[in-house]
Amino acid sequence: MSKNVILVGDKFATFAQQENVTTPLAFCAALEDGKIDACNLILGQGVSDAWVAHITDLAAQTNAKVTLVNSVSAKRASSKSCHKVKRQNALISEPQVLRNNAFGARLLIDEDCELMGDHQTGHHLQGMLLVEAARQMFLAVIERYLRPKQSNYAVINHLNSTFQSFAFPLSTDIELTVETRDEDRPDRGSYDVQVVFLQNGSPVTTIDTRFTVFDAQRLAPKEAAMAQARTQDCIAMADKELAVAV
């Protein structure tokens, strides 16, 4: 096995057919068979935190010198940051400040996440994975930097996705830039942001979005009232359709 090997989730089996690309199951089998003395393991997408821990333990047991690349600096975002209860559904690392109004993170897809429960097509990442990762990115920036002391409820007003190229299950940087912000009211803030996904330094997907962040406690009763009104309208329409049918 080459000194530099890319590790991707087992669901990316088609991509893993390339030379110098492997999956957790295949890599662990090679370790157990004594086929690996030393290598740099470059973490791609689809690999769970549990797999990383298992490979680290197995390498120690087999006296293989395995250096995990990209594993230390990329801590998966917390549930509070990205508004996900299950850890495998967090698709990004905790964002860091790059410069004024700009924040960076890494894409950290776990193949057991909610968006990979079905099949994978070809070599590339599904576009919806990147859309969801962008959503998590601006939520995490809100929680950590823009409105860290509030109870936040974000509403997307507009979202536009531009896919410049296929994105593959490789190391991926995320950069979010806050282009405009309106924070005149204490109970809400409106933001225009651009989220760019980069592989090997080149953009593969750009997502432009505008969203409004409300105080969660103030918005909750308004949302409940809207839900009730919409439900009553739905019931009224059903009554009319049934009356016509009779």
Side-chain angles (χ1 to χ4, degrees), residues 111-216:
E111 68 178 4
D112 291 326
C113 71
E114 58 192 338
L115 293 177
M116 290 188 65
D118 209 299
H119 70 291
Q120 302 305 302
T121 301
H123 296 261
H124 64 280
L125 299 175
Q126 299 176 35
M128 288 308 299
L129 282 166
L130 301 181
V131 173
E132 170 60 18
R135 189 189 72 89
Q136 292 185 18
M137 184 67 179
F138 65 69
L139 288 174
V141 169
I142 290 167
E143 296 290 1
R144 288 175 62 88
Y145 300 106
L146 301 182
R147 298 172 65 87
K149 297 181 180 180
Q150 283 92 341
S151 175
N152 297 308
Y153 194 120
V155 176
I156 298 173
N157 306 120
H158 164 84
L159 189 146
N160 183 65
S161 303
T162 303
F163 298 98
Q164 291 101 326
S165 173
F166 279 130
F168 297 105
L170 299 168
S171 177
T172 305
D173 293 315
I174 309 171
E175 293 187 5
L176 180 150
T177 302
V178 180
E179 299 184 325
T180 66
R181 54 202 297 172
D182 180 356
E183 298 171 323
D184 291 341
R185 294 181 56 171
D187 63 332
R188 70 179 63 180
S190 295
Y191 306 88
D192 289 288
V193 306
Q194 182 174 85
V195 182
V196 180
F197 294 84
L198 303 107
Q199 292 191 333
N200 301 326
S202 298
V204 293
T205 299
T206 301
I207 296 178
D208 297 283
T209 183
R210 179 176 179 82
F211 58 92
T212 303
V213 185
F214 298 89
D215 178 275

Side-chain angles (χ1 to χ4, degrees), residues 10-238:
D10 288 286
K11 289 183 180 178
F12 293 115
T14 302
F15 185 83
Q17 292 174 5
Q18 300 180 75
E19 186 177 0
N20 300 331
V21 182
T22 189
T23 66
L25 283 174
F27 189 76
C28 287
L31 279 174
E32 292 171 343
D33 292 340
K35 296 179 180 180
I36 299 174
D37 295 321
C39 78
N40 299 319
L41 197 58
I42 303 167
L43 295 182
Q45 302 301 325
V47 184
S48 68
D49 296 344
W51 266 122
V52 172
H54 179 67
I55 288 170
T56 301
D57 291 342
L58 188 58
Q61 294 171 19
T62 57
N63 295 317
K65 186 179 180 181
V66 176
T67 301
L68 292 172
V69 182
N70 301 335
S71 64
V72 177
S73 61
K75 178 182 178 183
R76 196 175 298 276
S78 67
S79 295
K80 184 181 186 305
S81 292
C82 62
H83 296 194
K84 288 295 178 181
V85 174
K86 296 181 179 179
R87 186 169 178 77
Q88 67 267 28
N89 292 331
L91 302 180
I92 64 171
S93 66
E94 291 286 3
Q96 306 296 321
V97 176
L98 297 177
R99 53 192 177 275
N100 188 37
N101 288 324
F103 307 87
R106 299 188 72 98
L107 187 65
L108 295 178
I109 296 173
D110 183 328
E111 68 178 4
D112 291 326
C113 71
E114 58 192 338
L115 293 177
M116 290 188 65
D118 209 299
H119 70 291
Q120 302 305 302
T121 301
H123 296 261
H124 64 280
L125 299 175
Q126 299 176 35
M128 288 308 299
L129 282 166
L130 301 181
V131 173
E132 170 60 18
R135 189 189 72 89
Q136 292 185 18
M137 184 67 179
F138 65 69
L139 288 174
V141 169
I142 290 167
E143 296 290 1
R144 288 175 62 88
Y145 300 106
L146 301 182
R147 298 172 65 87
K149 297 181 180 180
Q150 283 92 341
S151 175
N152 297 308
Y153 194 120
V155 176
I156 298 173
N157 306 120
H158 164 84
L159 189 146
N160 183 65
S161 303
T162 303
F163 298 98
Q164 291 101 326
S165 173
F166 279 130
F168 297 105
L170 299 168
S171 177
T172 305
D173 293 315
I174 309 171
E175 293 187 5
L176 180 150
T177 302
V178 180
E179 299 184 325
T180 66
R181 54 202 297 172
D182 180 356
E183 298 171 323
D184 291 341
R185 294 181 56 171
D187 63 332
R188 70 179 63 180
S190 295
Y191 306 88
D192 289 288
V193 306
Q194 182 174 85
V195 182
V196 180
F197 294 84
L198 303 107
Q199 292 191 333
N200 301 326
S202 298
V204 293
T205 299
T206 301
I207 296 178
D208 297 283
T209 183
R210 179 176 179 82
F211 58 92
T212 303
V213 185
F214 298 89
D215 178 275
Q217 293 180 345
R218 294 191 181 189
L219 184 62
K222 295 179 181 179
E223 182 184 18
M226 290 177 65
Q228 185 176 18
R230 194 71 55 83
T231 301
Q232 294 303 316
D233 289 345
C234 182
I235 292 172
M237 287 185 65

